Amino acid sequence: MGFVVTLTHPGANDKVNFQIWLPLDAPSWNGRFLSLGGSAWAAGHGPLTLAPYAVQGFATGSTDAGLDGNILSPAGWALKADGSVNTGLLTNFASRSVHELAVVGKAVAKAYYGTKPKFSYWSGCSTGGRQGLVAAQKYPGDYDGIVAGAPAIYWTKYVIAELWPQVVMNDVGYWPSVCEFAAVREDAVAACDELDGVRDGVISNLERCKYSPARMVGKKINCGGVKVEITQKVADIVQKIWDGPRTAAGEQLWYGLTVGAPLDSLAGTQEVNGTRVGLPFSVAADWAKYFVKADPGFDFAGLSSAALRSLFAESVEKFNSVIDSSDGDLSGFQKAGGKLLVWHGEADNLIFPQDSVVYRKKVQKTMGTAGRRVDDFFRLFIAPGVDHCAGGSIDGAGPTDPLGSLINWVENRKAPDELAAATSPTAKTTFTRKLCPYPLVAKYDGQGDPNVAASYHCAKGFGGSSCPTKN
């Protein structure tokens, strides 16, 4: 059974739609309400994500936040007719519709079944992960449990930092092909793969990976039947992308891609009149154009380090309080009895996994609480070799059922000491793993099938890993 609820906000000139899907009768309902988040520029995906959970017995809902539904671009709603930022719709997208979805969804379920949900949950990745953290920080009583995958926590910072690879290529004056980037990434993975004691095509011990792309200089690779030599320019570009953007004084401004993450998503290129040029990641480009500069014609060609630093500062100054979900004070959520499960691929090619680690540490510092006490309500799981939202473009093992683990935590008080994870069916090597609560890592026992999660245990570090074992 599906319902659409529409509301508006005085002065915002908006029309926000909430889609609520319910099991047809009370016996089919599991007593839970589940809100599902969006991705990129979409606040939610409607039937695409709602149907599978409604079939499983959830009362479930999503919202369009009053936007036009274009996941790829905010061009249709970002600016008002006078050219100013549409702060009403941006507020909907950033936070307001997250809360309203909880209010509307639970009210519809109660009206239909005659009783309110026993438990309420949020689940989302990327933008959906950011929305989940917004709920925990601003509306701590809305949800009993939240799954936030690859959350866009520091939106105003990391989105601008996503333009860094374009700056690097502009500075060097060379725009490598997808093939060149892939060759360096694959060499890095091969060089650092076995640092955890297992040869599986994944960098798990990233801390010990000291790979230098300079070792590829002079090597020839096959790119579409054409022999291409990796040059010093390519090596320099990759190293600078990994290093991340810097301040004028040379200090870290924000993070870069991790070693092993696909490079071409942010270091995109395109052919124009037979010449390869840069192609900025669309979310980053659109954020800078439509919001930071409020100028759809803003030109990224030749974007420099100084210009990036200026964009970074302007983005934070104008919108930090609007869209970032980085408040380290989760005391309200903790007092409400909420449980927060965050997971992030360590080879995320869009949202830097360092963001989630920094946020976890910020919560501990802000709340003045030991890590073990934070674990009582907030656990972070890092997935080695996993790309953005476990999209499957590379071969790490992503979590298979984080929502199920969250429900068990909330309803049975069984905190997840590990998450089940598996590679995609199309991975070069298929295997299962266990993901461990940060800062623990999954260490091979030294015996047993290295393709099976049961052969691993959660440890404080890889330490003196056993001799590398081939999967």
Side-chain angles (χ1 to χ4, degrees), residues 159-165 167 245-246 253 303-314:
V159 172
I160 297 299
E162 286 182 323
L163 294 170
W164 172 243
V167 171
R246 302 280 167 172
L253 182 66
L303 185 68
S304 66
S305 296
L308 182 77
R309 290 193 292 269
S310 178
L311 276 175
F312 188 94
E314 192 173 353

Side-chain angles (χ1 to χ4, degrees), residues 153-187:
I153 304 171
Y154 298 92
W155 179 286
T156 59
K157 298 177 181 178
Y158 95 82
V159 172
I160 297 299
E162 286 182 323
L163 294 170
W164 172 243
Q166 298 294 319
V167 171
V168 172
M169 293 188 293
N170 289 342
D171 285 348
V172 175
Y174 184 71
W175 293 264
S177 66
V178 172
C179 180
E180 289 170 288
F181 279 133
V184 178
R185 190 197 79 83
E186 289 167 6
D187 190 59

Side-chain angles (χ1 to χ4, degrees), residues 220-412:
K220 292 185 177 181
I221 60 173
N222 189 334
C223 290
V226 178
K227 290 291 184 180
V228 176
E229 183 175 312
I230 300 296
T231 65
Q232 187 63 51
K233 285 185 177 181
V234 174
D236 290 344
I237 287 169
V238 173
Q239 187 62 61
K240 289 179 180 178
I241 289 174
W242 288 341
D243 291 342
R246 302 280 167 172
T247 66
E251 298 177 352
Q252 187 90 51
L253 182 66
W254 204 248
Y255 306 101
L257 290 169
T258 55
V259 179
L263 292 151
D264 56 288
S265 296
L266 300 186
T269 61
Q270 60 182 336
E271 295 286 334
V272 177
N273 298 324
T275 301
R276 194 182 304 129
V277 296
L279 180 64
F281 178 55
S282 62
V283 172
D286 286 342
W287 174 253
K289 285 193 300 185
Y290 292 104
F291 296 95
V292 181
K293 306 306 294 186
D295 177 9
F298 185 77
D299 188 7
F300 292 93
L303 185 68
S304 66
S305 296
L308 182 77
R309 290 193 292 269
S310 178
L311 276 175
F312 188 94
E314 192 173 353
S315 176
V316 173
E317 181 182 359
K318 288 182 176 179
F319 299 106
N320 171 263
S321 63
V322 177
I323 197 169
D324 281 6
S325 53
S326 57
D327 187 349
D329 185 359
L330 293 179
S331 57
F333 188 67
Q334 180 189 27
K335 290 175 183 176
K339 307 298 182 187
L340 175 61
L341 191 160
V342 176
W343 70 270
H344 209 137
E346 198 167 27
D348 195 315
N349 50 319
L350 297 179
I351 300 179
F352 314 112
Q354 302 96 313
D355 295 10
S356 289
V357 172
V358 166
Y359 179 67
R360 161 69 193 212
K361 292 178 178 178
K362 181 178 181 180
V363 171
Q364 287 183 208
K365 183 177 180 180
T366 301
M367 298 183 65
T369 308
R372 185 176 299 175
R373 295 294 300 277
V374 172
D375 277 346
D376 289 344
F377 68 93
F378 172 18
R379 296 199 175 192
L380 167 64
F381 296 83
I382 299 297
V386 172
D387 59 359
H388 188 57
C389 290
S393 67
I394 51 178
D395 296 337
T400 55
D401 187 20
L403 179 59
S405 296
L406 177 69
I407 290 173
N408 197 34
W409 190 7
V410 169
E411 299 178 19
N412 300 315

Side-chain angles (χ1 to χ4, degrees), residues 178-224:
V178 172
C179 180
E180 289 170 288
F181 279 133
V184 178
R185 190 197 79 83
E186 289 167 6
D187 190 59
V189 171
C192 295
D193 181 2
E194 302 175 32
L195 294 175
D196 64 335
V198 177
R199 188 179 307 148
D200 55 7
V202 171
I203 300 177
S204 293
N205 195 348
L206 193 58
E207 185 177 355
R208 284 190 57 201
C209 181
K210 307 302 180 184
Y211 175 85
S212 171
R215 67 180 246 164
M216 282 289 286
V217 174
K219 292 186 178 181
K220 292 185 177 181
I221 60 173
N222 189 334
C223 290

Side-chain angles (χ1 to χ4, degrees), residues 83-95:
S84 63
V85 172
N86 193 327
T87 55
L89 291 182
L90 180 59
T91 299
N92 287 352
F93 175 68
S95 60

Side-chain angles (χ1 to χ4, degrees), residues 1-3 21-29 54-55 57-58 112-113:
M1 179 66 68
F3 296 90
W21 283 39
L22 307 173
L24 191 58
D25 51 45
S28 301
W29 182 37
V55 169
F58 290 89
Y112 188 77
Y113 296 116

